[in-house]
Amino acid sequence: MKEFDTRGRSIEDSTIDPANVELLRIAKKDGIDTAFDRVQKQEPKCTFCEEGVSCRTCNMGPCRITPNSPRGVCGATADTIVARGLLQNTIGGAASHMDHARHVAILLREAGMGNAPYEIKDEAKLRRIAGGLGIEGADTKDKKLLAMEVANRALEDLGRQHGEDAMDWIKLHAPEERIDTWKKLGILPFGGNVVVNEGMHRRTMGVDADPVNIILGMLKTGIVDGYGGLAMSTDLQDILFGSPSPKISEAGLGVLREDYINISTHGHVPLLSEKIVDAAEDLEEEAIKAGAKGINVVGLCCTGIELLERKGIPIAGNELNTETAIITGAMEAVVVDYQCIYPGLVPVADNFHTKVITTADIAKIPGAEHIEFNEKEADKVAKKIVRLAIDNFKNRDPKRVNIPNVKSKVMAGFSPEVLVAVLSKINKEDPLKPLVDAITEGKIRGAVAIVGCNNPRVKHDFMNVEIARELIKRNVLVISTGCVATAHAKSGLMNPDTAYKEAGEDLQGVLKVLGKAAGMEALPPVLNFGSCVDNSRIGDLLKALSDRIGVPIKDLPVLASAPEYTTEKALSIGTWAVSLGVTTHINPPPRISGSQLVTKILTEDAEGLVGATVFTGSDPVETARVMIEKIEEKRRKLGLN
Ligand code: NFS
Ligand code: SF4
């Protein structure tokens, strides 16, 4: 695993984001540690851990597999230990997303009961989901009552403890063909949380030792994540906050403003960040009294993207911008909810006046100020936080303010619904036809969903951006979400005025036709589909295409990729993609090299189970080449040129 050794790496070799280069130089001068430094201090990594052959599951261990000790104390082999480790990571991801979905469901129920100051912003979607769930009076019932019923059904779906049928959110979103496949494999979830519970059970000492069976459990966990986590969160958030629509905004640390009070919202659930935006508007006067020109709310990571796609709020950056954003010296408050929030933010903030404010009872950080979010008093809590930021403005040291002049125009807010709306201007009766034609005629060779994180073991944003560039040049459409979408936004690949010029000629032609229908020159060749839970929208698009073309998703010329993956959530989303029949690239490699069997199951045998496999690759040009080869192979099998 030499290539991921980061020791002695220079700043320029650590990131392609010019704002980060500038700020990391300041960090170096001032002796401020960031993830870019800490990753170097973790070298060399323990090879047992890297290969996945260490186990700390029980107290007879920890055990490590070596040629001399091919089994742990309990007798578990390398294959068992590697498979179990992978399952456990996948469970971490699914648990995170389902807890997110649960929080949104509870809020929706409270809003329906009139107990929380939130509206139902997308009533049509509420009625559509209610209809899909078979709720009586979906078209006629009072919307608040209906919201309560939908929320209750969601909570029931997560909590169901026994059954044989697919869970409701699977029936709402998954293709029939997949439901049959999963049923045959014995991995069709009937409830949400139970899969996490069962998975934690099966990975404990002396339960599941069969690597194949454990990997099937992992697939089941990915499926439950896709529907009980991603799709449920997306649906309920759209109902509460409105479905996204195309928005023009800006991306990059240059969206911070010197004369303004800067507040960043960082994390994942829009429950609080939406309210912070409202509170900042309401308290503008107080900010001016405090000597600022106003309040500038910006987003970081996924909750930032949720604000971008619904409100056009600028996105300051992705995961590896969260610490450097503080080093600008211009950040009054970093407001966080949960997931992907480095505890390292606090020691960075200690060097400046910045306040880190935690808000979730399950996500506190020593040294941060904790202001508990409470949906019933959401407006009050949001105002309290914004006032804290206003009050903190006087503590800013103007001499230490360094906001890099780095930002890019971005178009965001895409979804299947938005695409259909654009396409129906070209063909009203059969909106998907122009897209399907472009694919069958080969003007669009295929599509790759590039999703996931930043990882300081990889040059920041390099893989995320370069793979996309290679693909669009060769007429492959790219859809991105999460920190990858923000990488693409920062690097200009979503600029509505210029990005299309980077696409190959055929793809450019299609983007211009679509752009004309949308009232602009051309759509960007990389479509921002939102946050990581919004990956469910990619699933919906794939289902719509597969229904329209009449072939299962596994036969479509589409792939997924997580080129700088970090979190367990990214792993479980990738597992869901594979379960759907979408072959998926991941980098850096997961910790499986210690088991030839598990490696073979994932890279070869999975094809026979679900029609998709996993592959790795750390060179963007080579990876894109392999992707195009796989896309062309799918096209050939479909009889397309
Ligand atoms: Ni996704 Fe969002 Fe970023 Fe990765 Fe984290 S912010 S949910 S997990 S690191 S993309
Ligand atoms: Fe060792 Fe088995 Fe316990 Fe793991 S479960 S620590 S391999 S004895």
Side-chain angles (χ1 to χ4, degrees):
M1 302 269 147
K2 263 247 150 49
E3 58 190 303
F4 294 109
D5 191 327
T6 51
R7 272 177 296 190
R9 193 174 56 177
S10 70
I11 289 174
E12 288 75 12
D13 280 338
S14 301
T15 176
I16 63 163
D17 183 337
N20 261 9
V21 171
E22 222 175 300
L23 293 163
L24 288 174
R25 286 205 184 110
I26 295 173
K28 195 170 181 187
K29 180 168 65 62
D30 294 352
I32 301 168
D33 240 24
T34 67
F36 292 99
D37 305 296
R38 296 189 299 266
V39 73
Q40 302 192 20
K41 293 176 189 167
Q42 286 300 327
E43 303 286 358
K45 290 194 191 314
C46 159
T47 50
F48 294 102
C49 289
E50 264 208 302
E51 292 173 5
V53 292
S54 55
C55 181
R56 300 187 309 159
T57 301
C58 88
N59 207 27
M60 291 191 280
C63 301
R64 298 182 305 184
I65 301 301
T66 66
N68 266 337
S69 60
R71 287 176 185 267
V73 178
C74 69
T77 61
D79 297 330
T80 302
I81 292 172
V82 166
R84 274 198 315 219
L86 212 48
L87 171 65
Q88 179 169 335
N89 287 148
T90 314
I91 292 168
S96 309
H97 286 137
M98 284 197 288
D99 215 29
H100 175 158
R102 180 174 67 88
H103 285 135
V104 186
I106 290 171
L107 178 67
L108 182 64
R109 190 169 66 175
E110 293 295 323
M113 291 195 291
N115 290 340
Y118 291 84
E119 293 162 43
I120 308 297
K121 290 236 175 86
D122 192 343
E123 187 177 333
K125 182 146 189 179
L126 168 69
R127 297 199 182 278
R128 214 162 63 237
I129 300 285
L133 290 168
I135 295 176
E136 239 174 87
D139 294 326
T140 49
K141 227 177 233 170
D142 169 69
K143 69 174 177 184
K144 289 204 150 180
L145 208 68
L146 203 57
M148 235 164 65
E149 279 183 55
V150 167
N152 281 333
R153 286 288 293 275
L155 292 170
E156 239 176 76
D157 217 23
L158 291 176
R160 193 170 302 112
Q161 293 297 311
H162 59 90
E164 277 171 20
D165 216 6
M167 63 188 290
D168 288 336
W169 251 264
I170 291 181
K171 283 189 268 185
L172 277 177
H173 289 272
E176 283 292 333
E177 178 268 344
R178 279 294 103 171
I179 295 182
D180 286 347
T181 305
W182 298 333
K183 196 163 203 166
K184 280 189 201 122
L185 290 171
I187 55 174
L188 179 66
F190 53 76
N193 301 144
V194 68
V195 176
V196 165
N197 198 330
E198 176 190 271
M200 283 308 278
H201 177 194
R202 86 194 293 161
R203 57 148 281 284
T204 199
M205 197 278 281
V207 184
D208 208 346
D210 177 354
V212 178
N213 206 39
I214 296 170
I215 298 298
L216 283 170
M218 177 183 170
L219 286 169
K220 186 176 181 180
T221 311
I223 296 166
V224 93
D225 185 15
Y227 303 100
L230 311 181
M232 189 184 286
S233 301
T234 302
D235 284 343
L236 305 186
Q237 284 173 183
D238 281 354
I239 292 172
L240 275 167
F241 306 116
S243 294
S245 58
K247 296 277 180 312
I248 307 283
S249 187
E250 291 178 319
L253 283 171
V255 303
L256 293 172
R257 303 173 78 172
E258 182 148 8
D259 305 330
Y260 284 70
I261 288 162
N262 291 302
I263 302 177
S264 72
T265 63
H266 167 19
H268 286 80
V269 227
L271 310 189
L272 173 66
S273 46
E274 284 264 338
K275 289 294 184 189
I276 295 282
V277 174
D278 295 345
E281 271 169 30
D282 290 349
L283 299 178
E284 189 83 17
E285 280 303 310
E286 292 185 25
I288 291 168
K289 267 191 212 134
K293 283 197 179 146
I295 304 173
N296 183 35
V297 178
V298 302
L300 282 165
C301 289
C302 282
T303 208
I305 301 180
E306 301 276 354
L307 293 180
L308 169 68
E309 68 182 353
R310 294 199 175 86
K311 303 194 136 148
I313 299 287
I315 180 106
N318 49 14
E319 189 66 8
L320 282 175
N321 293 115
T322 58
E323 289 178 304
T324 48
I326 298 173
I327 301 170
T328 61
M331 191 77 91
E332 272 57 56
V334 177
V335 187
V336 305
D337 49 67
Y338 49 56
Q339 299 170 14
C340 307
I341 294 147
Y342 295 167
L345 294 178
V346 170
V348 174
D350 284 346
N351 293 280
F352 297 90
H353 72 302
T354 308
K355 280 197 192 309
V356 178
I357 300 165
T358 54
T359 60
D361 59 353
I362 59 159
K364 298 186 178 179
I365 308 174
E369 181 151 348
H370 187 76
I371 301 180
E372 183 95 8
F373 174 69
N374 154 2
E375 64 261 358
K376 292 184 183 153
E377 301 197 321
D379 290 311
K380 239 168 92 184
V381 175
K383 279 197 174 141
K384 185 171 172 193
I385 291 172
V386 171
R387 285 206 167 100
L388 217 119
I390 295 174
D391 187 50
N392 195 23
F393 185 62
K394 62 175 186 296
N395 299 321
R396 187 196 283 188
D397 179 353
K399 291 194 295 295
R400 295 192 69 200
V401 172
N402 290 287
I403 302 174
N405 185 17
V406 178
K407 59 183 175 181
S408 183
K409 191 169 170 185
V410 53
M411 186 173 192
F414 286 99
S415 66
E417 291 87 341
V418 166
L419 283 183
V420 166
V422 170
L423 288 163
S424 59
K425 292 198 180 128
I426 304 171
N427 187 331
K428 207 163 174 209
E429 277 70 52
D430 186 2
L432 285 176
K433 187 167 186 296
L435 188 59
V436 172
D437 287 349
I439 297 170
T440 48
E441 288 161 16
K443 289 180 186 151
I444 296 179
R445 305 305 300 173
V448 179
I450 313 185
V451 308
C453 322
N454 289 145
N455 184 330
R457 294 166 70 193
V458 183
K459 187 175 185 177
H460 171 215
D461 285 346
F462 174 67
M463 285 288 282
N464 288 338
V465 168
E466 289 309 314
I467 291 178
R469 288 218 157 100
E470 289 295 319
L471 290 173
I472 59 174
K473 257 198 282 187
R474 291 173 179 76
N475 302 306
V476 174
L477 182 73
V478 170
I479 290 177
S480 62
T481 56
C483 288
V484 180
T486 300
H488 293 159
K490 287 187 295 177
S491 60
L493 286 168
M494 292 170 171
N495 186 323
D497 306 329
T498 54
Y500 71 91
K501 293 176 190 159
E502 292 200 47
E505 210 175 303
D506 287 342
L507 179 57
Q508 254 190 54
V510 178
L511 296 170
K512 282 183 180 161
V513 173
L514 294 176
K516 200 170 152 215
M520 56 193 283
E521 171 122 24
L523 287 192
V526 182
L527 299 178
N528 190 329
F529 257 55
S531 69
C532 287
V533 295
D534 289 324
N535 279 316
S536 65
R537 301 187 202 277
I538 301 178
D540 289 345
L541 181 62
L542 290 175
K543 177 175 186 295
L545 280 175
S546 122
D547 288 348
R548 172 61 183 72
I549 303 177
V551 297
I553 291 175
K554 69 178 170 57
D555 298 328
L556 296 176
V558 297
L559 297 171
S561 170
E564 300 178 20
Y565 113 80
T566 279
T567 68
E568 294 179 306
K569 292 179 291 172
L571 191 67
S572 64
I573 293 172
T575 305
W576 169 57
V578 173
S579 80
L580 263 182
V582 180
T583 289
T584 300
H585 161 256
I586 46 175
N587 180 66
R591 296 187 282 264
I592 60 171
S593 61
S595 165
Q596 276 175 4
L597 179 63
V598 171
T599 305
K600 182 170 167 297
I601 296 171
L602 294 176
T603 58
E604 294 171 29
D605 305 349
E607 183 73 45
L609 298 172
V610 287
T613 52
V614 174
F615 67 104
T616 58
S618 60
D619 176 86
V621 177
E622 172 59 13
T623 302
R625 193 193 61 75
V626 173
M627 286 174 169
I628 287 165
E629 213 174 85
K630 290 183 190 288
I631 284 173
E632 294 301 332
E633 194 185 311
K634 296 254 176 184
R635 292 186 66 89
R636 274 196 300 279
K637 283 194 185 146
L638 285 173
L640 302 174
N641 284 324

